[in-house]
Amino acid sequence: NSKYVKGDYDMVNWENNIRRVVPYTPGEQPDQPDMIKLNTNENPYPPAPGVREVLRGMDTDTLRLYPDPAALDLVHAIADNYGLQDDQVFVGVGSDDVLAMSFLTFFNSEKPILFPDITYSFYDVCNKQNSVRRLDIENNMRQAVATGIDEFVVFYQPVVDINTEECASCEALVRWDSKSLGFMGPGDFIPLAEYLGLITSIGDYVLEEACRQCRYWNEHGMPDFHINVNLSVVQLLQKDIVDTVAKVLKKTGVNPRNIVLEITESFAINDMDRVLNIINGIRELGPKIALDDFGTGYSSLNYIKQLPFDIIKVDKTFIDDITEDEYAQAFIKLIVELSATIGTKIVVEGVEDKSQLDILRELGVDFIQGYYYGKPEPAYEFERLNFKGRINI
């Protein structure tokens, strides 16, 4: 919503400028579009001299979001020019291949439509109430990220060996304990964080916290225990993703072989060459790579052969009706046989009852994850429920 945008450009007649950048069919646009134009390349109003000086000194190829000093310098310059507080100014950086920093334009549309190759997107505002709620979440999330990310907490869900029924590893999952909005699950803020580009900072924080926790457990009686951490599509699109992982591993001192980084199937099949380079770069550092949400995309067995995954995580959609669905059973059996041939392990997500567990055991699955063995919990509660005296504190 334009009234929430504080920037260095005159917003008079800015809707007409957007019409040249974001085409839409006459008659379909709302009377008062709820949108933000962050791309100022074609805006006829130049920046103020002080802001122009800061912009000229910025290296946009290496610029990152908060807390990059260059981004903060730009924030200060804009705030000073307009008499604003720093926390009222937000800076995003555009890139032709970074989805997270694509410029956002909001329309009243039926569903969100994402264009990864160009610098705008449509977003479903739905109604005034949802729009206000979304802006409230956005503003609080930006401030939470800008002030240290300490509102975000990491929960852990057990991954259990199907034969021994012992917790062999876990998955790190982020939650947001907002001071203003209360406790929020991932579905309430992760999609928006991805659109805003904030998921990179949040994801890096989760990776570092998970590595610290893994090292702690490794040094207190669980030397082989490992933690799975999701890498979002936005993180994977960063050109320095391998360097970022390397820095976190070095900073935390964790045994890299006890970290598993998960890549979603939808990303893996989108750009094979790029994914292969990322996987090889990360594996050289020591962590294993898991293919997450397998079965939700095209599920081509060919790309599994081409990409060196260590673990395949089958999506819960194949488990919901597995006791009655012969196709789901055949699919799991096929993946188990394939994994044995190429040397990967199988984790099945979403297991909620014993009947599902029994079938998966018969099919030869290695590990399971789901509410049957435990929901995501804070580290201290996870220890109490899953380690059963195996950890020395």
Side-chain angles (χ1 to χ4, degrees), residues 265-277:
E265 181 185 36
S266 58
F267 179 78
I269 63 179
N270 186 52
D271 189 340
M272 294 282 287
D273 292 336
R274 182 171 191 165
V275 173
L276 183 59
N277 288 334

Side-chain angles (χ1 to χ4, degrees), residues 27 42 47 88 102 147 179 184 190 229 295 310 321 330 334 339 363:
E42 298 187 13
Q88 293 177 285
S102 61
T147 56
K179 296 176 182 177
M184 302 176 68
I190 289 293
V229 184
D310 300 287
D321 301 315
L334 175 63
S339 70
L363 293 173

Side-chain angles (χ1 to χ4, degrees), residues 63-360:
L63 183 65
R64 300 287 297 273
L65 292 182
Y66 295 107
D68 190 293
L72 294 177
D73 288 344
L74 180 58
V75 167
H76 296 325
I78 295 174
D80 290 344
N81 187 72
Y82 284 95
L84 302 171
Q85 299 296 318
D86 286 352
D87 61 5
Q88 293 177 285
V89 180
F90 303 109
V91 176
V93 181
S95 172
D96 60 355
D97 64 351
V98 181
L99 178 63
M101 300 175 189
S102 61
F103 304 112
L104 300 179
T105 302
F106 297 98
F107 287 90
N108 288 323
S109 57
E110 294 183 359
K111 60 181 180 180
I113 307 172
L114 205 52
F115 299 87
D117 298 325
I118 48 182
T119 56
Y120 65 87
S121 66
F122 298 134
Y123 190 85
D124 183 9
V125 179
C126 298
N127 55 50
K128 182 179 292 186
Q129 181 179 0
N130 287 346
S131 180
V132 172
R133 170 67 173 172
R134 180 205 167 280
L135 289 167
D136 197 21
I137 294 174
E138 175 183 341
N139 290 335
N140 279 279
M141 193 189 310
R142 287 188 185 277
Q143 293 187 27
V145 170
T147 56
I149 321 187
D150 58 350
E151 292 185 5
F152 296 93
V153 293
V154 182
F155 280 34
Y156 300 90
Q157 184 175 31
V159 176
V160 176
D161 185 312
I162 201 168
N163 295 312
T164 65
E165 296 195 60
E166 285 192 347
C167 179
S169 64
C170 65
E171 180 177 353
L173 301 163
V174 66
R175 302 292 187 264
W176 182 17
D177 191 8
S178 171
K179 296 176 182 177
S180 301
L181 304 174
F183 192 84
M184 302 176 68
D188 296 324
F189 69 93
I190 289 293
L192 183 57
E194 291 177 336
Y195 279 118
L196 297 174
L198 301 177
I199 194 63
T200 301
S201 297
I202 297 171
D204 291 349
Y205 169 78
V206 171
L207 176 60
E208 184 171 329
E209 286 297 300
C211 287
R212 291 185 191 281
Q213 188 63 61
C214 187
R215 178 181 176 180
Y216 176 82
W217 284 332
N218 292 160
E219 294 179 347
H220 289 79
M222 307 287 292
D224 298 322
F225 191 83
H226 58 271
I227 295 181
N228 293 26
V229 184
N230 287 284
L231 293 180
S232 71
V233 172
V234 180
Q235 286 176 280
L236 291 165
L237 287 173
Q238 305 299 311
K239 295 178 181 179
D240 61 348
I241 179 60
V242 176
D243 290 338
T244 297
V245 172
K247 291 176 182 177
V248 171
L249 294 174
K250 182 178 180 180
K251 181 178 180 180
T252 59
V254 68
N255 181 352
R257 299 187 182 280
N258 286 340
I259 298 297
V260 178
L261 300 179
E262 300 186 3
I263 297 176
T264 62
E265 181 185 36
S266 58
F267 179 78
I269 63 179
N270 186 52
D271 189 340
M272 294 282 287
D273 292 336
R274 182 171 191 165
V275 173
L276 183 59
N277 288 334
I278 292 173
I279 290 176
N280 287 336
I282 291 176
R283 293 185 81 203
E284 287 179 3
L285 299 174
K288 299 180 178 64
I289 299 293
L291 176 65
D292 194 21
D293 298 335
F294 182 73
T296 59
Y298 294 102
S299 299
S300 170
L301 301 183
N302 184 52
Y303 79 81
I304 294 181
K305 179 181 178 181
Q306 295 180 48
L307 299 175
F309 295 111
D310 300 287
I311 299 168
I312 297 175
K313 299 188 72 175
V314 180
D315 188 73
K316 73 179 296 295
T317 55
F318 284 93
I319 310 306
D320 292 338
D321 301 315
I322 195 169
T323 56
E324 301 174 355
D325 189 341
E326 294 183 358
Y327 172 80
Q329 294 178 25
F331 179 82
I332 297 296
K333 182 179 180 180
L334 175 63
I335 299 305
V336 167
E337 293 174 350
L338 175 63
S339 70
T341 301
I342 62 178
T344 62
K345 296 294 185 181
I346 297 294
V347 178
V348 175
E349 301 177 290
V351 179
E352 298 183 355
D353 60 55
K354 191 176 185 303
S355 61
Q356 295 172 330
L357 173 65
D358 291 340
I359 291 178
L360 294 173

Side-chain angles (χ1 to χ4, degrees), residues 7-25:
D8 183 57
Y9 297 90
D10 190 345
M11 284 294 155
V12 175
N13 204 30
W14 61 277
E15 181 182 345
N16 289 333
N17 295 326
I18 286 183
R19 290 176 186 273
R20 297 202 307 270
V21 182
V22 185
Y24 47 76
T25 304

